[in-house]
Amino acid sequence: MAQAVSLALPDFLHTELPENPLCLITDDGSSLAPALAKALSAEGWTPAILRFSGLSALVKKKPKSFAKEIALIELSSSEESELQTSLKSLGEKYGKIGGFIHLHPVSSESSESKLEDGANAFLKQAFLSAKNVSSFLKDAGNSETRRSHFLAVIRLDGELGMGSGQFGAVGSGLSGLIKTASVEWPDVFCRFVDLQPELAAEKAAKCILQELHDPDLRIKEVGYSDSGKSGTSRMTVQPKYIRDLTTSKPGKSLIEKSVFLVSGGARGVTAECVVKLAEAQPCSFILLGRSSMKEDPEWAKEAGEDEMELKPAAMQALVDLGEKPTPAKVNQMVGKVESGREIRKNLERIRNAGGHAEYVSADVTDAKKIETAIAPVVKKFGPVTGIIHGAGVLADKLIEKKTGDDFDAVCSTKINGIDALLESINPKKLTHLLLFSSAAGFYGNAGQSDYAIANEALNRIALLFKQNNPKCHVTSFNWGPWEGGMVTPELKRLFEERNVEVISVEDGTHVFVEEVTSSGQENPIVLIGNSMVVPNGSENGLQKWKISRRVSLDASPVFQDHTIGKNPVLPAVHAMSWMVDACEQVLPGFMLSSCQNFKVLNGVKFDETLADEYMLELQEVKRGKGSFADIEVKVSSQSGLGSSSAKRPRFHYSTQVRLVQQAAEAPLHDRIDLSNTHNLPGSSFYQDGTLFHGPKFQGIKQVLNIDEQGLTLECRLPEISAAEQGQFSTQDFNPFATDLAFQAMLIWAWRFHQSGSLPLKTDLLEHFRKVPFETRFYLSMSVKKSSATVLNANLFLYDEQGLMYSRMTGAEVTLSQSLNALFGKQ
């Protein structure tokens, strides 16, 4: 399921401009294009404007003017050849393009639902433009220190369609193009940006520039909305969970009188889902397809079911007709026979399950033809109450190899198809709208840019339809690859090697029925399976990055609950997670394995010593054939008076992070013997000043045992939102859980030394999996050495079965009784 997630404003990745900093901007006819061109010029870019044919007619006014020095290309047609000629002329005069930002025109009507309508027509133009600038962007970005970019900017609702405003859903298919481009062009920074329509041009341009410098390559799409004087709010969409392909009994939201119009439903995966649905709730189905359903011709009646038996029979039939049996003719004849047989077989399966089914042949993109074709069946079954849109066309090629015809065929079937289906029936009668989208759209997939565009548009169409028809059950199924069909046994093995989940027919159809028949619905976008994208290791040498961040308490309010004395302090484990997350940002697809030799050199306090800016320096020191990367990380700020050149760096934290593509199997820790425990309430330590931590950090529920060798705690963390975590929100590592390890050391230090403590270092943190919020887990500490001034210990975090979350070796804190008063300990 997809969920909206709040994001902090991005950090700043320090890079050089491409050798030729020419940035092509498509004009959207608003004041944003001139504002963006001006802002890019101020950063050293040379902007050039591309104005598509028909823009003036769309916006119904004269487009905004630009500074005289800015090149302007005005196209007189939508032909790709004219675009190519114009780009060639631009390159001859200004050099190669180093950046491309497509500003999508605002739809004048939210009812624009076909590919050809209004602003939607510019979707194809953006696609063809991306195709024709791809080689320039890849050349410009193929450098360790330079970044080229491809951004698509649209004005939906500022929340990627997850909000409550009306918007043109079709243009959001650009998100699929961006995600696929990021897979096919790993050296080009790609980002889809949704700006709230009310966002002023200058603010909007600032948002776009912020994204250009974002180091986080895990993010592919963001939304910006106006938050008043405080600036802008930023968000993205992430999978909340990947739908478990298991089992619960279906509900009963369907009735026997339900009538489904099903595109692509007579064959393949869609047919399997329909048969399963008929078994769960017998109702009526009108199956719509392109193929005509005819009885087998005479030559095929005596042939068997197998293709190898049909082909010789087809060849003989052609010979008997005096024709040459070419492979194309033979395959066409065999294909028609197989298609007809499959349709008849699936109709019989539905009827045997207790349902009613009829097949009609019509173009799924033509509403009038659909309405005419289904009219006799509607008279027989009753009005259509549900739509299942499973029709789809593939034309898999890399973006550079795609054609306009490919785009039309693939996108029209999905986008114009759902529009025609809705036009052909009375939508007020609908109780169910079920769309077959794809994980290729949600995540992006090489070779499927047009398919990703179509399916991302379907996702927003689902969101918009649900918003306007809240009583209708709307689901857009983002399917991963299904077993059988196009997934051969060889391809299945390849997917398994890459940890790509392949959906069995049994599991997939069960999930479909479970979702369709459920009575409650949390979100229309359902994810089944996972990303098919394989992390792409850079072909450059060992890399390095410089990332700056402006830290503030307002941006991370959770640290109000980590106050020592009167000043909030950045917890040491959050500094560690900051460095880890920076590494994961620049190497998407890799995850934390360990932190080695972590040191607190000079902690960060939210007081007058807080620096204007903190710099993370990342240096890759070792790489293991794409399986792991070791990165040295340092956090520093500038100190001293005078000019910036005279200031010296002040180092705050350092560590070496190991990232891996596949997490290690979590080891087992000895399980707790609950029959021999002290059961001291954890709340007492927060109340008496032993621990200074506020509510968000109060995860210790009980001290189960404590002695000179160590202690064991029962823990449970309260839920903390991404907005509260702010700048220090992470994906795969929970620093609040690791902070409990240092809280455990505080409890032990007070019990045996009557001293407070602060973290100094950790020799090694091994991470196996993330500790979830609102879940009981345990923490054990084993003392290695202690004195009046230092405590060194090993700590283990694990679940009720003893399966470890993480292991800390050589964690060390300094002890001092002078800290007691700061902690409120009397």
Side-chain angles (χ1 to χ4, degrees), residues 632-678:
E632 288 185 351
V633 190
K634 296 177 182 178
V635 179
S636 65
S637 62
Q638 295 292 321
S639 64
L641 302 175
S643 65
S644 59
S645 61
K647 293 180 179 179
R648 299 185 305 274
R650 168 186 281 182
F651 290 98
H652 298 275
Y653 311 97
S654 64
T655 193
Q656 180 168 304
V657 175
R658 168 161 285 197
L659 300 183
V660 294
Q661 276 197 25
Q662 191 165 355
E665 186 174 341
L668 282 169
H669 187 271
D670 294 336
R671 297 182 68 173
I672 305 298
D673 181 7
L674 296 176
S675 63
N676 184 27
T677 59
H678 299 301

Side-chain angles (χ1 to χ4, degrees), residues 680-689 698 700-702:
L680 301 174
S683 58
S684 63
F685 297 97
Y686 296 110
Q687 292 166 2
D688 68 10
Q698 293 178 4
I700 297 174
K701 298 306 175 186
Q702 293 190 83

Side-chain angles (χ1 to χ4, degrees), residues 6 24 28-29 39 58 74 89 115 126 147 181 199 311 336 342 489 526 612 633 663-665 670 714 716 740 800 818:
S6 174
L24 183 66
D28 65 345
L58 174 71
E74 293 196 74
S89 298
L115 275 171
R147 170 184 266 191
L199 206 60
K311 281 190 173 182
K336 287 181 178 180
E342 188 176 359
V526 174
D612 292 336
V633 190
E665 186 174 341
D670 294 336
E714 179 188 322
R716 186 187 185 95
L740 298 179
E800 293 178 292
S818 65

